[in-house]
Amino acid sequence: MAGRDDEGRRVDVADGTDPTWAQQLLDHLRPSARDVRRVVAWLADAADADVSLQDDAGTLLAGTRTPLDEDLVADIAAGRIASAALQDGGHHRRLVRVELPRPASAGVLAVTRPAPFDRRTSDIVTHTAGVLELLLRARESAAAGHRLRRAASDLRLAILQLLMVEDTVSARRVAAGLWPGLLDTDTACVYVAESHPADRDRLAEECLDATSEQALVVRCPAMDSHVIVLTPGEAAAAELRSLVEGRPDTFLGGSARQSLAQTATAYGQAVSALAVAHFRPDKAAVYAERTHPERLMDPTALRDWTAGLLRPLDTLPHHTRAELLATTRLGLEFTAVNAAMVLGVSRNTVRARMERVEGLLRTDLSDLTVRAAVHLALNTQAGLVEVPGGDLGDEVCTRFDELLAGPAVRTWARDLLGRLDADTRDLRRTLRTWIAAGGNAERAAQLLGVHAQTVREHVRSAEPVLERQLLSGGSDLYEVVLAHLALGDLDQPALQGANPGHPDSPVHG
């Protein structure tokens, strides 16, 4: 047995007589080919040997495990000797120390072959050990970078989830340590960028670069094609718009400016605008760019009606009330599963909170007309519509049908649904029946005497005409429901105890 010091090990060819193996070995350092297991397998083939790489605890990192002298391995791993060569039962063996990325840690590369080690094979083993050290360091560095990026991503998601339930104090506290000044604002806008799921990570990184990390950029936990961006500044909007220009299948939707406590509302607005962006040539839209029915209603009447509908929740503690309202707003926009992912809770928690709201309001959220009415009230309460003076606790004297009876609302409804009249398939009739059937294509098909797929095709055909996504539910669908109600094409929803909720009432999900 012999030992020697391998300090100054380099990956090169001393004699230059056979550079082929060196070139093959160096090829393993290319970014697309960096794999410790592949290098060990290559060494086994190049040296016609059995090769193993293990750490100082004896854990096999790569190759095929071979029996080794534990004391000798310990001496090499501890640095008392750098390498060893020995003959054992007709086998020739080389053991070389390999530095590991962990502090004061080393492994052992063992090469066992039936033939003695010539100069060429010895060089291959020595230089391969050097390449393995480089790859192990690079792998650890990449893993550390990945862990850091993952931790930062998880923190950004946690901040967003706190904002979603109006806990701005905790959100600011979490953000202050890593992104000072990020949430030193009273208002912000939310944008949702959409791309192919495979391109989302790159899109998220580009959003971070475009906003100079002065925005909260989150990979949406519910939609694997969405990136959520909360930005307090105005400049980010133009930068984000530039990301979708010239890029196929990439879209951007933005909210109106909202207080941080209304992040959930802003998020819903951004998703609604994203649906419009799919029909825009520039593939971008902002929520305020479209006329919404609540903006056409008498603000005082809307305030009074909202107060009456939501008054049963006023007796709850502030935090509980805010939690229920935020959860229900998201639950009406998305499925219970997706809302749970966004909020970081279980879908059963989302359903339980919505059922509690359903019970307090004494209504049935399985009815699309009820959902549209409650959605309108929640967004009004959240500050979507500015109302002059007064509190939401004033005496109520406004009925829901009176809100929809104004000439501006009725004109808007006629113009919106009138777009469907040109289609000879009577999309308007199909859509009305589908809504009355709770968005269930099978039930609507039975009422119309057609196939369920025909109903779905008609509803899908209505989407680009109305510039609203219908099959996925949410704000777009509720606006179309309100338009039908305003024109008397649907029965008014059963509100204020006319259709009491109960624990088994179905919830969107």
Side-chain angles (χ1 to χ4, degrees), residues 431-495:
L431 184 56
R432 179 176 64 249
T433 306
W434 177 74
I435 292 173
N440 186 291
E442 284 74 16
R443 289 203 298 268
Q446 291 177 355
L447 294 171
L448 293 169
V450 298
H451 195 277
Q453 186 59 32
T454 301
V455 173
R456 296 187 187 96
E457 289 175 358
H458 283 196
V459 175
R460 191 174 291 111
S461 296
E463 290 184 328
V465 179
L466 299 176
E467 291 190 337
R468 285 160 174 82
Q469 289 186 324
L470 304 175
L471 290 170
S472 58
S475 296
D476 284 3
L477 173 58
Y478 300 143
E479 287 190 2
V480 174
V481 173
L482 292 179
H484 282 86
L485 290 169
L487 297 181
D489 291 347
L490 291 171
D491 293 334
Q492 291 296 313
L495 300 171

Side-chain angles (χ1 to χ4, degrees), residues 101-437:
R102 300 190 301 274
S105 177
V108 174
L109 176 67
V111 183
T112 304
R113 55 186 253 137
F117 284 81
D118 53 19
R119 174 63 181 275
R120 173 183 177 275
T121 308
S122 297
D123 283 345
I124 291 175
V125 172
T126 301
H127 293 308
T128 300
V131 168
L132 288 172
E133 287 182 350
L134 292 174
L135 291 180
L136 288 167
R137 288 196 201 106
R139 186 170 71 179
E140 179 61 24
S141 177
H146 175 74
R147 288 194 296 270
L148 181 61
R149 290 190 297 272
R150 179 61 183 270
S153 178
D154 289 346
L155 276 175
R156 285 192 287 264
L157 174 59
I159 293 168
L160 179 67
Q161 289 170 339
L162 288 169
L163 292 174
M164 286 287 192
V165 293
E166 302 183 20
D167 192 351
T168 57
V169 174
S170 297
R172 286 190 172 110
R173 186 180 298 123
V174 174
L178 291 175
W179 300 284
L182 177 62
L183 297 182
D184 290 349
T185 179
D186 294 326
T187 61
C189 293
V190 172
Y191 293 87
V192 177
E194 179 183 349
S195 66
H196 285 302
D199 298 330
R200 184 174 71 162
D201 285 346
R202 184 178 65 179
L203 179 61
E205 292 300 322
E206 290 177 350
C207 287
L208 282 169
D209 292 341
T211 58
S212 301
E213 298 200 17
Q214 295 304 304
L216 188 67
V217 178
V218 178
R219 292 165 177 82
C220 179
M223 304 294 292
D224 58 7
S225 59
H226 287 184
V227 176
I228 305 168
V229 182
L230 182 145
T231 172
E234 300 287 350
E239 298 296 335
L240 292 172
R241 280 180 178 268
S242 69
L243 293 180
V244 305
E245 294 175 358
R247 295 179 57 156
D249 301 318
T250 304
F251 306 90
L252 180 70
S255 74
R257 181 162 290 276
Q258 298 285 350
S259 69
L260 285 182
Q262 306 307 330
T263 297
T265 297
Y267 173 56
Q269 291 179 357
V271 172
S272 178
L274 181 65
V276 177
H278 279 261
F279 309 114
R280 293 283 181 86
D282 60 354
K283 300 183 296 182
V286 175
Y287 187 77
E289 292 177 356
R290 195 170 81 190
T291 299
H292 298 275
E294 59 268 25
R295 298 183 181 276
L296 304 174
M297 298 175 185
D298 179 86
T300 302
L302 179 58
R303 177 203 67 201
D304 291 345
W305 171 79
T306 296
L309 185 66
L310 300 183
R311 182 172 289 122
L313 281 72
D314 293 344
T315 59
L316 299 173
H318 174 75
H319 177 74
T320 301
R321 184 177 186 274
E323 188 175 68
L324 290 178
L325 290 177
T327 301
T328 304
R329 277 201 300 272
L330 285 177
L332 291 175
E333 288 284 354
F334 311 103
T335 65
V337 173
N338 287 350
M341 290 180 179
V342 171
L343 291 171
V345 299
S346 72
R347 61 183 177 181
N348 288 336
T349 298
V350 171
R351 291 191 174 108
R353 291 175 183 174
M354 293 185 69
E355 286 173 357
R356 186 175 181 186
V357 171
E358 187 180 45
L360 288 169
L361 299 185
R362 295 179 297 161
T363 192
D364 182 2
L365 290 177
S366 67
D367 187 323
L368 277 180
T369 61
V370 172
R371 294 175 72 87
V374 173
H375 180 267
L376 173 64
L378 291 177
N379 281 342
T380 302
Q381 183 274 338
L384 179 63
V385 179
E386 296 181 2
V387 294
D391 296 321
L392 288 182
D394 291 347
E395 189 65 30
V396 178
C397 58
T398 304
R399 299 195 315 270
F400 184 57
D401 58 343
E402 293 174 339
L403 284 179
L404 304 175
V409 177
R410 291 178 61 83
T411 298
W412 164 82
R414 279 195 298 269
D415 290 344
L416 178 64
L417 298 182
R419 302 179 194 176
L420 301 173
D421 293 340
D423 197 300
T424 57
R425 293 173 293 177
D426 201 354
L427 299 183
R428 190 163 171 175
R429 174 172 175 261
T430 302
L431 184 56
R432 179 176 64 249
T433 306
W434 177 74
I435 292 173

